[in-house]
């Protein structure tokens, strides 16, 4: 999973997240949840969103209120070096991610 925390200059922190689709598929099988076959179906599944929200809530416990991620959006894409979202050392190219997912930014901060 990769997470791009956004919100500089905005009223709240948020995140654009590329989930680990392999993990979600395994988790769904273990819990008997049908998440669908496509990445688009997976990111729109209510149980998947709840699971990721639970992870964010756990992580948010370590932060002050002004630092907590308040909203997030999931991407159906798998971020990669070839796709341009990651460097060869697997660091996130924040500017590229923001440009590619500007629609999700507007959806969050609309």
């Amino acid at each position: 999973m990769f997470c791009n925390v956004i919100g500089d200059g905005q009223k709240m922190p948020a995140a654009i997240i590329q989930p680990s689709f392999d993990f979600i598929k395994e988790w769904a099988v273990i819990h008997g949840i049908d998440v669908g076959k496509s990445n688009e179906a997976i990111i729109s599944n209510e149980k998947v969103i709840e699971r990721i929200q639970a992870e964010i809530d756990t992580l948010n416990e370590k932060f002050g209120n002004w630092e907590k991620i308040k909203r997030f959006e999931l991407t159906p894409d798998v971020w990669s070096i070839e796709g341009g979202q990651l460097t060869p050392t697997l660091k996130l190219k924040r500017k590229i991610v923001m440009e590619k997912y500007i629609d999700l930014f507007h959806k969050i901060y609309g």
Side-chain angles (χ1 to χ4, degrees), residues 63-83:
F63 299 115
N65 194 45
W66 66 94
E67 298 171 306
K68 293 180 180 183
I69 294 173
K70 305 289 192 295
R71 294 192 58 199
F72 66 91
E73 290 293 331
L74 304 175
T75 68
D77 306 317
V78 176
W79 298 351
S80 65
I81 297 166
E82 297 80 17

Side-chain angles (χ1 to χ4, degrees), residues 73-98:
E73 290 293 331
L74 304 175
T75 68
D77 306 317
V78 176
W79 298 351
S80 65
I81 297 166
E82 297 80 17
Q85 300 95 343
L86 304 175
T87 68
T89 58
L90 301 180
K91 294 178 184 162
L92 191 63
K93 293 183 178 179
R94 293 175 51 83
K95 183 177 178 184
I96 302 294
V97 170
M98 278 300 300

